[in-house]
PDB file of all heavy atoms in Angstrom:
ATOM      1  N   THR U  46       0.824  -1.212   0.000  1.00 69.00           N
ATOM      2  CA  THR U  46       0.000   0.000   0.000  1.00 69.00           C
ATOM      3  C   THR U  46       0.854   1.256   0.000  1.00 69.00           C
ATOM      4  O   THR U  46       0.554   2.224  -0.707  1.00 69.00           O
ATOM      5  CB  THR U  46      -0.918   0.003   1.232  1.00 69.00           C
ATOM      6  OG1 THR U  46      -1.723  -1.188   1.223  1.00 69.00           O
ATOM      7  CG2 THR U  46      -1.829   1.220   1.227  1.00 69.00           C
ATOM      8  N   THR U  47       1.913   1.236   0.796  1.00 65.00           N
ATOM      9  CA  THR U  47       2.736   2.441   0.925  1.00 65.00           C
ATOM     10  C   THR U  47       3.795   2.542  -0.167  1.00 65.00           C
ATOM     11  O   THR U  47       4.034   3.612  -0.715  1.00 65.00           O
ATOM     12  CB  THR U  47       3.418   2.461   2.300  1.00 65.00           C
ATOM     13  OG1 THR U  47       4.165   1.244   2.485  1.00 65.00           O
ATOM     14  CG2 THR U  47       2.379   2.571   3.405  1.00 65.00           C
ATOM     15  N   GLU U  48       4.449   1.430  -0.462  1.00 62.00           N
ATOM     16  CA  GLU U  48       5.546   1.446  -1.428  1.00 62.00           C
ATOM     17  C   GLU U  48       5.138   0.972  -2.817  1.00 62.00           C
ATOM     18  O   GLU U  48       5.860   1.189  -3.784  1.00 62.00           O
ATOM     19  CB  GLU U  48       6.700   0.576  -0.912  1.00 62.00           C
ATOM     20  CG  GLU U  48       7.238   0.988   0.438  1.00 62.00           C
ATOM     21  CD  GLU U  48       7.889   2.353   0.389  1.00 62.00           C
ATOM     22  OE1 GLU U  48       8.368   2.737  -0.695  1.00 62.00           O
ATOM     23  OE2 GLU U  48       7.920   3.034   1.426  1.00 62.00           O
ATOM     24  N   GLY U  49       3.987   0.302  -2.888  1.00 60.00           N
ATOM     25  CA  GLY U  49       3.552  -0.231  -4.175  1.00 60.00           C
ATOM     26  C   GLY U  49       3.893  -1.705  -4.307  1.00 60.00           C
ATOM     27  O   GLY U  49       4.807  -2.218  -3.668  1.00 60.00           O
ATOM     28  N   ASP U  50       3.127  -2.409  -5.127  1.00 61.00           N
ATOM     29  CA  ASP U  50       3.366  -3.828  -5.366  1.00 61.00           C
ATOM     30  C   ASP U  50       4.730  -4.007  -6.026  1.00 61.00           C
ATOM     31  O   ASP U  50       5.020  -3.389  -7.055  1.00 61.00           O
ATOM     32  CB  ASP U  50       2.253  -4.371  -6.280  1.00 61.00           C
ATOM     33  CG  ASP U  50       2.266  -5.899  -6.325  1.00 61.00           C
ATOM     34  OD1 ASP U  50       3.365  -6.473  -6.249  1.00 61.00           O
ATOM     35  OD2 ASP U  50       1.178  -6.492  -6.438  1.00 61.00           O
ATOM     36  N   PRO U  51       5.590  -4.869  -5.471  1.00 67.00           N
ATOM     37  CA  PRO U  51       6.927  -5.073  -6.059  1.00 67.00           C
ATOM     38  C   PRO U  51       6.871  -5.504  -7.519  1.00 67.00           C
ATOM     39  O   PRO U  51       7.717  -5.094  -8.321  1.00 67.00           O
ATOM     40  CB  PRO U  51       7.538  -6.165  -5.174  1.00 67.00           C
ATOM     41  CG  PRO U  51       6.817  -6.050  -3.870  1.00 67.00           C
ATOM     42  CD  PRO U  51       5.427  -5.610  -4.216  1.00 67.00           C
ATOM     43  N   LEU U  52       5.886  -6.327  -7.881  1.00 70.00           N
ATOM     44  CA  LEU U  52       5.768  -6.759  -9.276  1.00 70.00           C
ATOM     45  C   LEU U  52       5.434  -5.593 -10.190  1.00 70.00           C
ATOM     46  O   LEU U  52       5.996  -5.453 -11.287  1.00 70.00           O
ATOM     47  CB  LEU U  52       4.700  -7.851  -9.397  1.00 70.00           C
ATOM     48  CG  LEU U  52       5.001  -9.160  -8.658  1.00 70.00           C
ATOM     49  CD1 LEU U  52       3.829 -10.118  -8.797  1.00 70.00           C
ATOM     50  CD2 LEU U  52       6.285  -9.792  -9.212  1.00 70.00           C
ATOM     51  N   ILE U  53       4.523  -4.740  -9.713  1.00 69.00           N
ATOM     52  CA  ILE U  53       4.147  -3.576 -10.521  1.00 69.00           C
ATOM     53  C   ILE U  53       5.322  -2.611 -10.636  1.00 69.00           C
ATOM     54  O   ILE U  53       5.602  -2.072 -11.712  1.00 69.00           O
ATOM     55  CB  ILE U  53       2.924  -2.877  -9.902  1.00 69.00           C
ATOM     56  CG1 ILE U  53       1.708  -3.816  -9.943  1.00 69.00           C
ATOM     57  CG2 ILE U  53       2.621  -1.573 -10.635  1.00 69.00           C
ATOM     58  CD1 ILE U  53       0.472  -3.251  -9.300  1.00 69.00           C
ATOM     59  N   LYS U  54       6.024  -2.388  -9.502  1.00 73.00           N
ATOM     60  CA  LYS U  54       7.174  -1.487  -9.535  1.00 73.00           C
ATOM     61  C   LYS U  54       8.259  -2.026 -10.465  1.00 73.00           C
ATOM     62  O   LYS U  54       8.900  -1.263 -11.192  1.00 73.00           O
ATOM     63  CB  LYS U  54       7.729  -1.299  -8.119  1.00 73.00           C
ATOM     64  CG  LYS U  54       6.808  -0.533  -7.194  1.00 73.00           C
ATOM     65  CD  LYS U  54       7.424  -0.349  -5.830  1.00 73.00           C
ATOM     66  CE  LYS U  54       8.617   0.558  -5.886  1.00 73.00           C
ATOM     67  NZ  LYS U  54       9.196   0.818  -4.550  1.00 73.00           N
ATOM     68  N   SER U  55       8.455  -3.356 -10.434  1.00 76.00           N
ATOM     69  CA  SER U  55       9.446  -3.955 -11.323  1.00 76.00           C
ATOM     70  C   SER U  55       9.059  -3.768 -12.781  1.00 76.00           C
ATOM     71  O   SER U  55       9.904  -3.473 -13.633  1.00 76.00           O
ATOM     72  CB  SER U  55       9.597  -5.443 -10.996  1.00 76.00           C
ATOM     73  OG  SER U  55      10.477  -6.063 -11.892  1.00 76.00           O
ATOM     74  N   ARG U  56       7.761  -3.930 -13.052  1.00 77.00           N
ATOM     75  CA  ARG U  56       7.274  -3.741 -14.416  1.00 77.00           C
ATOM     76  C   ARG U  56       7.443  -2.287 -14.863  1.00 77.00           C
ATOM     77  O   ARG U  56       7.840  -2.026 -16.011  1.00 77.00           O
ATOM     78  CB  ARG U  56       5.797  -4.140 -14.490  1.00 77.00           C
ATOM     79  CG  ARG U  56       5.142  -3.935 -15.851  1.00 77.00           C
ATOM     80  CD  ARG U  56       5.844  -4.722 -16.933  1.00 77.00           C
ATOM     81  NE  ARG U  56       5.202  -4.549 -18.224  1.00 77.00           N
ATOM     82  CZ  ARG U  56       5.747  -4.877 -19.373  1.00 77.00           C
ATOM     83  NH1 ARG U  56       6.969  -5.404 -19.417  1.00 77.00           N
ATOM     84  NH2 ARG U  56       5.093  -4.694 -20.506  1.00 77.00           N
ATOM     85  N   ILE U  57       7.183  -1.354 -13.958  1.00 74.00           N
ATOM     86  CA  ILE U  57       7.340   0.068 -14.287  1.00 74.00           C
ATOM     87  C   ILE U  57       8.800   0.388 -14.581  1.00 74.00           C
ATOM     88  O   ILE U  57       9.113   1.104 -15.542  1.00 74.00           O
ATOM     89  CB  ILE U  57       6.809   0.944 -13.133  1.00 74.00           C
ATOM     90  CG1 ILE U  57       5.283   0.807 -13.019  1.00 74.00           C
ATOM     91  CG2 ILE U  57       7.198   2.410 -13.335  1.00 74.00           C
ATOM     92  CD1 ILE U  57       4.687   1.517 -11.838  1.00 74.00           C
ATOM     93  N   ARG U  58       9.706  -0.140 -13.739  1.00 80.00           N
ATOM     94  CA  ARG U  58      11.134   0.093 -13.979  1.00 80.00           C
ATOM     95  C   ARG U  58      11.580  -0.500 -15.313  1.00 80.00           C
ATOM     96  O   ARG U  58      12.397   0.085 -16.022  1.00 80.00           O
ATOM     97  CB  ARG U  58      11.958  -0.495 -12.831  1.00 80.00           C
ATOM     98  CG  ARG U  58      11.884   0.311 -11.545  1.00 80.00           C
ATOM     99  CD  ARG U  58      12.972  -0.125 -10.573  1.00 80.00           C
ATOM    100  NE  ARG U  58      12.768  -1.503 -10.146  1.00 80.00           N
ATOM    101  CZ  ARG U  58      12.121  -1.860  -9.050  1.00 80.00           C
ATOM    102  NH1 ARG U  58      11.595  -0.910  -8.274  1.00 80.00           N
ATOM    103  NH2 ARG U  58      11.988  -3.125  -8.716  1.00 80.00           N
ATOM    104  N   SER U  59      11.024  -1.668 -15.651  1.00 81.00           N
ATOM    105  CA  SER U  59      11.371  -2.290 -16.923  1.00 81.00           C
ATOM    106  C   SER U  59      10.928  -1.423 -18.095  1.00 81.00           C
ATOM    107  O   SER U  59      11.677  -1.232 -19.059  1.00 81.00           O
ATOM    108  CB  SER U  59      10.718  -3.678 -17.018  1.00 81.00           C
ATOM    109  OG  SER U  59      10.964  -4.266 -18.270  1.00 81.00           O
ATOM    110  N   ILE U  60       9.707  -0.890 -17.992  1.00 84.00           N
ATOM    111  CA  ILE U  60       9.201  -0.016 -19.059  1.00 84.00           C
ATOM    112  C   ILE U  60      10.043   1.252 -19.159  1.00 84.00           C
ATOM    113  O   ILE U  60      10.360   1.730 -20.264  1.00 84.00           O
ATOM    114  CB  ILE U  60       7.720   0.322 -18.807  1.00 84.00           C
ATOM    115  CG1 ILE U  60       6.857  -0.941 -18.927  1.00 84.00           C
ATOM    116  CG2 ILE U  60       7.233   1.393 -19.774  1.00 84.00           C
ATOM    117  CD1 ILE U  60       5.411  -0.736 -18.554  1.00 84.00           C
ATOM    118  N   GLN U  61      10.413   1.798 -17.979  1.00 79.00           N
ATOM    119  CA  GLN U  61      11.246   3.002 -17.987  1.00 79.00           C
ATOM    120  C   GLN U  61      12.594   2.737 -18.635  1.00 79.00           C
ATOM    121  O   GLN U  61      13.113   3.579 -19.379  1.00 79.00           O
ATOM    122  CB  GLN U  61      11.423   3.514 -16.550  1.00 79.00           C
ATOM    123  CG  GLN U  61      10.158   4.089 -15.939  1.00 79.00           C
ATOM    124  CD  GLN U  61      10.326   4.441 -14.481  1.00 79.00           C
ATOM    125  OE1 GLN U  61      11.258   3.967 -13.804  1.00 79.00           O
ATOM    126  NE2 GLN U  61       9.444   5.288 -13.964  1.00 79.00           N
ATOM    127  N   ARG U  62      13.179   1.573 -18.353  1.00 82.00           N
ATOM    128  CA  ARG U  62      14.462   1.231 -18.980  1.00 82.00           C
ATOM    129  C   ARG U  62      14.321   1.098 -20.491  1.00 82.00           C
ATOM    130  O   ARG U  62      15.197   1.527 -21.256  1.00 82.00           O
ATOM    131  CB  ARG U  62      15.014  -0.059 -18.372  1.00 82.00           C
ATOM    132  CG  ARG U  62      15.579   0.110 -16.975  1.00 82.00           C
ATOM    133  CD  ARG U  62      16.400  -1.112 -16.586  1.00 82.00           C
ATOM    134  NE  ARG U  62      15.579  -2.320 -16.535  1.00 82.00           N
ATOM    135  CZ  ARG U  62      14.996  -2.769 -15.428  1.00 82.00           C
ATOM    136  NH1 ARG U  62      15.125  -2.093 -14.287  1.00 82.00           N
ATOM    137  NH2 ARG U  62      14.285  -3.884 -15.446  1.00 82.00           N
ATOM    138  N   GLN U  63      13.198   0.484 -20.917  1.00 85.00           N
ATOM    139  CA  GLN U  63      12.982   0.330 -22.354  1.00 85.00           C
ATOM    140  C   GLN U  63      12.849   1.688 -23.042  1.00 85.00           C
ATOM    141  O   GLN U  63      13.421   1.902 -24.123  1.00 85.00           O
ATOM    142  CB  GLN U  63      11.723  -0.509 -22.600  1.00 85.00           C
ATOM    143  CG  GLN U  63      11.869  -1.977 -22.201  1.00 85.00           C
ATOM    144  CD  GLN U  63      10.584  -2.746 -22.404  1.00 85.00           C
ATOM    145  OE1 GLN U  63       9.617  -2.234 -22.966  1.00 85.00           O
ATOM    146  NE2 GLN U  63      10.574  -3.995 -21.954  1.00 85.00           N
ATOM    147  N   LEU U  64      12.097   2.601 -22.417  1.00 86.00           N
ATOM    148  CA  LEU U  64      11.938   3.930 -23.014  1.00 86.00           C
ATOM    149  C   LEU U  64      13.268   4.680 -23.064  1.00 86.00           C
ATOM    150  O   LEU U  64      13.581   5.345 -24.060  1.00 86.00           O
ATOM    151  CB  LEU U  64      10.904   4.732 -22.199  1.00 86.00           C
ATOM    152  CG  LEU U  64       9.463   4.209 -22.248  1.00 86.00           C
ATOM    153  CD1 LEU U  64       8.571   5.028 -21.318  1.00 86.00           C
ATOM    154  CD2 LEU U  64       8.919   4.268 -23.679  1.00 86.00           C
ATOM    155  N   ALA U  65      14.047   4.560 -21.960  1.00 82.00           N
ATOM    156  CA  ALA U  65      15.353   5.227 -21.936  1.00 82.00           C
ATOM    157  C   ALA U  65      16.278   4.639 -22.997  1.00 82.00           C
ATOM    158  O   ALA U  65      17.044   5.364 -23.656  1.00 82.00           O
ATOM    159  CB  ALA U  65      15.980   5.080 -20.545  1.00 82.00           C
ATOM    160  N   ARG U  66      16.185   3.309 -23.193  1.00 85.00           N
ATOM    161  CA  ARG U  66      17.014   2.652 -24.198  1.00 85.00           C
ATOM    162  C   ARG U  66      16.627   3.118 -25.608  1.00 85.00           C
ATOM    163  O   ARG U  66      17.491   3.345 -26.462  1.00 85.00           O
ATOM    164  CB  ARG U  66      16.872   1.143 -24.079  1.00 85.00           C
ATOM    165  CG  ARG U  66      17.900   0.362 -24.886  1.00 85.00           C
ATOM    166  CD  ARG U  66      17.713  -1.117 -24.694  1.00 85.00           C
ATOM    167  NE  ARG U  66      17.835  -1.484 -23.288  1.00 85.00           N
ATOM    168  CZ  ARG U  66      16.925  -2.177 -22.609  1.00 85.00           C
ATOM    169  NH1 ARG U  66      15.813  -2.589 -23.224  1.00 85.00           N
ATOM    170  NH2 ARG U  66      17.106  -2.479 -21.350  1.00 85.00           N
ATOM    171  N   ARG U  67      15.317   3.269 -25.833  1.00 87.00           N
ATOM    172  CA  ARG U  67      14.870   3.734 -27.148  1.00 87.00           C
ATOM    173  C   ARG U  67      15.354   5.152 -27.418  1.00 87.00           C
ATOM    174  O   ARG U  67      15.788   5.475 -28.542  1.00 87.00           O
ATOM    175  CB  ARG U  67      13.348   3.665 -27.232  1.00 87.00           C
ATOM    176  CG  ARG U  67      12.794   2.256 -27.296  1.00 87.00           C
ATOM    177  CD  ARG U  67      11.278   2.284 -27.285  1.00 87.00           C
ATOM    178  NE  ARG U  67      10.738   0.924 -27.266  1.00 87.00           N
ATOM    179  CZ  ARG U  67       9.427   0.645 -27.172  1.00 87.00           C
ATOM    180  NH1 ARG U  67       8.547   1.652 -27.107  1.00 87.00           N
ATOM    181  NH2 ARG U  67       9.014  -0.606 -27.160  1.00 87.00           N
ATOM    182  N   ARG U  68      15.276   6.007 -26.389  1.00 89.00           N
ATOM    183  CA  ARG U  68      15.756   7.378 -26.575  1.00 89.00           C
ATOM    184  C   ARG U  68      17.255   7.385 -26.845  1.00 89.00           C
ATOM    185  O   ARG U  68      17.754   8.175 -27.662  1.00 89.00           O
ATOM    186  CB  ARG U  68      15.439   8.214 -25.328  1.00 89.00           C
ATOM    187  CG  ARG U  68      13.959   8.541 -25.155  1.00 89.00           C
ATOM    188  CD  ARG U  68      13.759   9.634 -24.116  1.00 89.00           C
ATOM    189  NE  ARG U  68      14.213   9.193 -22.789  1.00 89.00           N
ATOM    190  CZ  ARG U  68      13.429   8.604 -21.889  1.00 89.00           C
ATOM    191  NH1 ARG U  68      12.143   8.380 -22.182  1.00 89.00           N
ATOM    192  NH2 ARG U  68      13.904   8.249 -20.723  1.00 89.00           N
ATOM    193  N   MET U  69      17.980   6.494 -26.154  1.00 89.00           N
ATOM    194  CA  MET U  69      19.424   6.421 -26.356  1.00 89.00           C
ATOM    195  C   MET U  69      19.746   5.944 -27.774  1.00 89.00           C
ATOM    196  O   MET U  69      20.635   6.491 -28.444  1.00 89.00           O
ATOM    197  CB  MET U  69      20.046   5.485 -25.313  1.00 89.00           C
ATOM    198  CG  MET U  69      21.562   5.391 -25.393  1.00 89.00           C
ATOM    199  SD  MET U  69      22.240   4.233 -24.180  1.00 89.00           S
ATOM    200  CE  MET U  69      21.667   2.660 -24.870  1.00 89.00           C
ATOM    201  N   MET U  70      19.022   4.910 -28.228  1.00 90.00           N
ATOM    202  CA  MET U  70      19.260   4.386 -29.564  1.00 90.00           C
ATOM    203  C   MET U  70      18.954   5.437 -30.628  1.00 90.00           C
ATOM    204  O   MET U  70      19.586   5.470 -31.698  1.00 90.00           O
ATOM    205  CB  MET U  70      18.423   3.133 -29.802  1.00 90.00           C
ATOM    206  CG  MET U  70      18.821   1.936 -28.954  1.00 90.00           C
ATOM    207  SD  MET U  70      20.546   1.461 -29.209  1.00 90.00           S
ATOM    208  CE  MET U  70      20.670   0.073 -28.076  1.00 90.00           C
ATOM    209  N   ALA U  71      17.980   6.300 -30.342  1.00 90.00           N
ATOM    210  CA  ALA U  71      17.647   7.349 -31.307  1.00 90.00           C
ATOM    211  C   ALA U  71      18.768   8.372 -31.432  1.00 90.00           C
ATOM    212  O   ALA U  71      18.843   9.108 -32.438  1.00 90.00           O
ATOM    213  CB  ALA U  71      16.354   8.040 -30.880  1.00 90.00           C
ATOM    214  N   GLU U  72      19.671   8.452 -30.421  1.00 89.00           N
ATOM    215  CA  GLU U  72      20.791   9.394 -30.469  1.00 89.00           C
ATOM    216  C   GLU U  72      22.004   8.829 -31.201  1.00 89.00           C
ATOM    217  O   GLU U  72      22.915   9.580 -31.566  1.00 89.00           O
ATOM    218  CB  GLU U  72      21.195   9.763 -29.033  1.00 89.00           C
ATOM    219  CG  GLU U  72      20.144  10.535 -28.254  1.00 89.00           C
ATOM    220  CD  GLU U  72      19.925  11.924 -28.827  1.00 89.00           C
ATOM    221  OE1 GLU U  72      20.926  12.583 -29.185  1.00 89.00           O
ATOM    222  OE2 GLU U  72      18.751  12.345 -28.956  1.00 89.00           O
ATOM    223  N   VAL U  73      22.044   7.504 -31.403  1.00 90.00           N
ATOM    224  CA  VAL U  73      23.214   6.870 -32.014  1.00 90.00           C
ATOM    225  C   VAL U  73      23.524   7.441 -33.398  1.00 90.00           C
ATOM    226  O   VAL U  73      24.703   7.691 -33.725  1.00 90.00           O
ATOM    227  CB  VAL U  73      23.033   5.334 -32.069  1.00 90.00           C
ATOM    228  CG1 VAL U  73      24.165   4.688 -32.867  1.00 90.00           C
ATOM    229  CG2 VAL U  73      22.977   4.750 -30.670  1.00 90.00           C
ATOM    230  N   PRO U  74      22.539   7.702 -34.267  1.00 91.00           N
ATOM    231  CA  PRO U  74      22.863   8.255 -35.601  1.00 91.00           C
ATOM    232  C   PRO U  74      23.568   9.604 -35.550  1.00 91.00           C
ATOM    233  O   PRO U  74      24.178  10.020 -36.555  1.00 91.00           O
ATOM    234  CB  PRO U  74      21.490   8.364 -36.283  1.00 91.00           C
ATOM    235  CG  PRO U  74      20.663   7.324 -35.609  1.00 91.00           C
ATOM    236  CD  PRO U  74      21.111   7.327 -34.186  1.00 91.00           C
ATOM    237  N   LYS U  75      23.509  10.293 -34.403  1.00 90.00           N
ATOM    238  CA  LYS U  75      24.168  11.600 -34.283  1.00 90.00           C
ATOM    239  C   LYS U  75      25.635  11.459 -33.882  1.00 90.00           C
ATOM    240  O   LYS U  75      26.345  12.471 -33.801  1.00 90.00           O
ATOM    241  CB  LYS U  75      23.445  12.458 -33.245  1.00 90.00           C
ATOM    242  CG  LYS U  75      21.978  12.700 -33.552  1.00 90.00           C
ATOM    243  CD  LYS U  75      21.322  13.503 -32.454  1.00 90.00           C
ATOM    244  CE  LYS U  75      19.820  13.692 -32.706  1.00 90.00           C
ATOM    245  NZ  LYS U  75      19.160  14.452 -31.619  1.00 90.00           N
ATOM    246  N   ALA U  76      26.090  10.240 -33.601  1.00 90.00           N
ATOM    247  CA  ALA U  76      27.451  10.026 -33.105  1.00 90.00           C
ATOM    248  C   ALA U  76      28.485  10.237 -34.208  1.00 90.00           C
ATOM    249  O   ALA U  76      28.211  10.059 -35.406  1.00 90.00           O
ATOM    250  CB  ALA U  76      27.575   8.622 -32.520  1.00 90.00           C
ATOM    251  N   ASP U  77      29.707  10.601 -33.807  1.00 89.00           N
ATOM    252  CA  ASP U  77      30.834  10.727 -34.732  1.00 89.00           C
ATOM    253  C   ASP U  77      31.622   9.433 -34.836  1.00 89.00           C
ATOM    254  O   ASP U  77      32.225   9.153 -35.884  1.00 89.00           O
ATOM    255  CB  ASP U  77      31.771  11.853 -34.268  1.00 89.00           C
ATOM    256  CG  ASP U  77      31.108  13.208 -34.389  1.00 89.00           C
ATOM    257  OD1 ASP U  77      30.589  13.515 -35.466  1.00 89.00           O
ATOM    258  OD2 ASP U  77      31.083  13.955 -33.381  1.00 89.00           O
ATOM    259  N   VAL U  78      31.619   8.650 -33.728  1.00 91.00           N
ATOM    260  CA  VAL U  78      32.373   7.412 -33.719  1.00 91.00           C
ATOM    261  C   VAL U  78      31.798   6.488 -32.646  1.00 91.00           C
ATOM    262  O   VAL U  78      31.255   6.945 -31.642  1.00 91.00           O
ATOM    263  CB  VAL U  78      33.874   7.668 -33.442  1.00 91.00           C
ATOM    264  CG1 VAL U  78      34.082   8.273 -32.062  1.00 91.00           C
ATOM    265  CG2 VAL U  78      34.697   6.395 -33.606  1.00 91.00           C
ATOM    266  N   ILE U  79      31.954   5.170 -32.879  1.00 91.00           N
ATOM    267  CA  ILE U  79      31.567   4.161 -31.909  1.00 91.00           C
ATOM    268  C   ILE U  79      32.832   3.440 -31.467  1.00 91.00           C
ATOM    269  O   ILE U  79      33.546   2.865 -32.299  1.00 91.00           O
ATOM    270  CB  ILE U  79      30.567   3.152 -32.496  1.00 91.00           C
ATOM    271  CG1 ILE U  79      29.372   3.864 -33.127  1.00 91.00           C
ATOM    272  CG2 ILE U  79      30.120   2.171 -31.415  1.00 91.00           C
ATOM    273  CD1 ILE U  79      28.547   4.670 -32.146  1.00 91.00           C
ATOM    274  N   VAL U  80      33.134   3.480 -30.179  1.00 92.00           N
ATOM    275  CA  VAL U  80      34.306   2.807 -29.638  1.00 92.00           C
ATOM    276  C   VAL U  80      33.835   1.483 -29.038  1.00 92.00           C
ATOM    277  O   VAL U  80      32.926   1.447 -28.204  1.00 92.00           O
ATOM    278  CB  VAL U  80      34.995   3.669 -28.562  1.00 92.00           C
ATOM    279  CG1 VAL U  80      36.240   2.964 -28.022  1.00 92.00           C
ATOM    280  CG2 VAL U  80      35.354   5.039 -29.131  1.00 92.00           C
ATOM    281  N   THR U  81      34.474   0.368 -29.447  1.00 92.00           N
ATOM    282  CA  THR U  81      34.039  -0.956 -28.987  1.00 92.00           C
ATOM    283  C   THR U  81      35.150  -1.698 -28.268  1.00 92.00           C
ATOM    284  O   THR U  81      36.312  -1.271 -28.271  1.00 92.00           O
ATOM    285  CB  THR U  81      33.560  -1.803 -30.181  1.00 92.00           C
ATOM    286  OG1 THR U  81      34.682  -2.057 -31.046  1.00 92.00           O
ATOM    287  CG2 THR U  81      32.463  -1.101 -30.955  1.00 92.00           C
ATOM    288  N   ASN U  82      34.745  -2.906 -27.751  1.00 86.00           N
ATOM    289  CA  ASN U  82      35.652  -3.674 -26.873  1.00 86.00           C
ATOM    290  C   ASN U  82      36.230  -4.987 -27.408  1.00 86.00           C
ATOM    291  O   ASN U  82      37.010  -5.600 -26.647  1.00 86.00           O
ATOM    292  CB  ASN U  82      34.907  -3.964 -25.564  1.00 86.00           C
ATOM    293  CG  ASN U  82      35.851  -4.488 -24.496  1.00 86.00           C
ATOM    294  OD1 ASN U  82      37.052  -4.239 -24.535  1.00 86.00           O
ATOM    295  ND2 ASN U  82      35.338  -5.234 -23.562  1.00 86.00           N
TER     296      ASN U  82
END
């Protein structure tokens, strides 16, 4: 009741990560170089 259902909070965090990842991927075409490992 106070903190929210852990399953729902986990689902919300997952959706937030997906949205942040999509925004990040949309910035990749603006890059000058990709450094890899």
Side-chain angles (χ1 to χ4, degrees):
T46 303
T47 55
E48 302 295 333
D50 192 326
L52 296 177
I53 296 177
K54 292 182 67 177
S55 176
R56 177 59 179 165
I57 292 174
R58 286 194 295 266
S59 176
I60 294 174
Q61 290 174 342
R62 286 194 297 267
Q63 291 177 7
L64 293 176
R66 192 179 301 127
R67 289 176 183 176
R68 288 194 297 269
M69 183 182 70
M70 293 302 179
E72 294 293 318
V73 173
K75 302 178 183 179
D77 292 309
V78 63
I79 307 297
V80 181
T81 65
N82 192 24

